[in-house]
Amino acid sequence: MRAIVLDQIAGPLAVREVGEPEVPVGGVVISVVATGLCRSDWHAWAGHDDIALPHVPGHEFAGVVASVGPGVTKWTSGDRVTAPFVEGCGACEWCLSGNAQVCPEQQQPGFTHWGSFAGQVVIHAADTNLVAIPEGVSFEAAASLGCRFATAYRALTGRASLKADEWVTVIGAGGVGLSTVMIAKALGGKVIAVDRNPAALEVAARLGADHVLVADGSDIPAQVHALTGGSHVSVDAVGSEQTCADALLSLRRRGRHVQIGLLPPVEGHPRVPMARVIAWELDVFGSHGMAAADYAGMLALIESGALEPQKLIERVIGLEEAAEMLPRLDTANVAGMTMIDPTR
């Protein structure tokens, strides 16, 4: 099969022929139809995650079950499926309680093993980790759910417990930030979107953001407070010291912050305004994807038409173009979501 292969950390990516994966006990091999290009893939490329070389990136995808391993009871060849980017083991107390996203023995395609920037990808513990794609939901839309939409949905529902008419400040209008905008609006929230890229903010406004603010060095928290009196909920969908601080400082007293963007200690551990967290009794939540067991509520929003993830897809590219684009993701001003078709 063809795949994007990384041979050295932060090095060039090559598209070449590699061997097809073997189906594991309890797992499946999936033929990839669509897979998303995400900033988390850039973190792996840059060496912020512990990966073994050579490596195939890619962690959010949708496709068709190609082969089924021994012990799998819920899935057969030909099923249309997607999966969360975190694969639980299926046997620990966390998986059995429906919290596979924090499984201590978790695996992640594109990180702990070869990912979906290829013709095929392996999913372990398939009965725990696979999600059926409903008829009428495209492979491209389903591929967007595994990381960005699922993470945003759980951040707002399972972590921040967003209520109708509450204000949400979303820092970052990339894939996960725009997903957060869409889900917050579908849940009845009011949204301020913040980004340095005016084109991304145009997309956010088109998707329902009530206000958009350009991150041009001005005082973002002061502007949020002027508009709302302080947000009830803030989400950092970028992952930097500045964006985390802006999100926290945008909150009103007793507000809730969700950190989605990764904060790798590239220049030392990031400073966070904990004095405000303490004085204003802010809640700070981490959010690490969503277990397959929790997909029903999100899929119901999609099937009802209240949530349309396909609106986020701005472009579909092939593996060669993706290999050129991935190393530039940290600096590229790309609006919307980039989807990869491995057959192109």
Side-chain angles (χ1 to χ4, degrees), residues 39 60 113 133 160 162 184 246 276 286 291 333:
R39 185 177 168 87
E60 53 177 1
H113 61 281
I133 301 174
L162 178 69
D246 281 349
R276 176 66 66 87
N333 285 331

Side-chain angles (χ1 to χ4, degrees), residues 85 144-156 159 176 180 183 258-260 287-290 295 298:
F85 73 89
S144 71
L145 304 180
C147 176
R148 282 169 270 206
F149 268 93
T151 298
Y153 181 81
R154 189 165 185 280
L156 292 176
R159 305 300 281 155
V176 71
T180 306
I183 292 166
V258 187
Q259 186 66 37
I260 291 177
S287 191
H288 190 232
M290 183 169 74
Y295 268 61
M298 180 173 62

Side-chain angles (χ1 to χ4, degrees), residues 208-219:
D210 298 272
H211 301 283
V212 296
L213 300 175
V214 180
D216 56 3
S218 57
D219 190 336

Side-chain angles (χ1 to χ4, degrees), residues 287-323:
S287 191
H288 190 232
M290 183 169 74
D294 291 334
Y295 268 61
M298 180 173 62
L299 290 172
L301 283 177
I302 295 170
E303 290 184 282
S304 73
L307 185 61
E308 299 176 276
Q310 64 272 14
K311 285 186 174 181
L312 265 192
I313 300 169
E314 293 287 328
R315 64 198 66 80
V316 180
I317 62 177
L319 290 174
E320 284 82 5
E321 191 175 350

Side-chain angles (χ1 to χ4, degrees), residues 224-243:
V224 173
H225 280 271
L227 287 167
T228 68
S231 286
H232 301 84
V233 173
S234 66
V235 175
D236 176 11
V238 177
S240 74
E241 185 175 287
Q242 183 67 56
T243 56

Side-chain angles (χ1 to χ4, degrees), residues 168-286:
V168 184
T169 296
V170 181
I171 309 288
V176 71
L178 292 173
S179 302
T180 306
V181 170
M182 294 176 70
I183 292 166
K185 295 303 295 183
L187 295 171
K190 297 176 289 189
V191 179
I192 298 176
V194 182
D195 200 278
R196 63 187 181 186
N197 181 8
L201 291 176
E202 289 179 11
V203 177
R206 191 167 72 241
L207 295 174
D210 298 272
H211 301 283
V212 296
L213 300 175
V214 180
D216 56 3
S218 57
D219 190 336
I220 294 297
Q223 294 178 66
V224 173
H225 280 271
L227 287 167
T228 68
S231 286
H232 301 84
V233 173
S234 66
V235 175
D236 176 11
V238 177
S240 74
E241 185 175 287
Q242 183 67 56
T243 56
C244 178
D246 281 349
L248 279 164
L249 295 173
S250 295
L251 290 170
R252 65 182 59 198
R253 296 169 190 271
R254 301 299 308 277
R256 293 103 68 196
H257 170 71
V258 187
Q259 186 66 37
I260 291 177
L262 300 175
L263 283 163
V266 176
E267 298 176 353
H269 290 289
R271 292 165 296 182
V272 175
M274 292 302 293
R276 176 66 66 87
V277 172
I278 296 165
W280 286 22
E281 289 194 353
L282 305 179
D283 292 331
V284 179
F285 298 98

